[in-house]
Amino acid sequence: LSDRLTVKDIWLFQFGGTSDDSELVGSPIYLDYSSDPVEAGDDTRLVSLVTSNTGNTVVVVANTHNPDQVGSVPTLAMMKRASAAVAESEDNWSSSGNDLVMSGYTVSPITAGDALDISLSFNVAKVEFDIVNMSQSGMTLHSVTMADVPGRRHYAQALSSAGTLLSEERVDY
């Protein structure tokens, strides 16, 4: 599990506002840390953003392992919708490697020299459990169901989840 907490690359997107029509400020920034991974609690990596006195939405997507994967997201609405297809369990991992994609965001004015605190969360969760039904319990287990296994994995799941974004496509694997 500790390897999955390592950040090996990040995408950083700065949007000039908080509404869905807020536009991307500058170009997305892709940083590859694969030769010097960022461990949990390491806050020594610096990135320069465009200063702004108004609230900007800053989105971080980690562990895609692909500088071309996220695609064009000129507005915050498009960032919320940016996703990849999920046909099998392995599609929830990064495009290469054994790392789960993570994301996070913050809304803040951008002041020169100030640090932003952005917590990253896993974009998916896998829950495994064992059920032991003792013969003396008097219960009969007929089935177990898992709901809302998405057919798409959103890159900025933390941001997308801030609204109501449930998967319309479902996958059974």
Side-chain angles (χ1 to χ4, degrees), residues 144-167:
V144 175
T145 302
M146 180 181 225
D148 201 29
V149 177
R152 301 202 68 76
R153 171 179 46 88
H154 289 85
Y155 291 109
Q157 186 64 41
L159 178 66
S160 299
S161 296
T164 351
L165 182 68
L166 294 176
S167 175

Side-chain angles (χ1 to χ4, degrees), residues 12-27:
L12 191 133
F13 302 86
Q14 179 182 354
F15 295 92
T18 58
S19 64
D20 279 353
D21 62 348
S22 297
E23 294 183 355
L24 185 65
V25 176
S27 297

Side-chain angles (χ1 to χ4, degrees), residues 14 24-25 28 53 55 75-76 112 124 131 136 155 167:
Q14 179 182 354
L24 185 65
V25 176
N53 292 329
T75 65
L76 191 54
V124 297
I131 298 175
Q136 66 272 24
Y155 291 109
S167 175

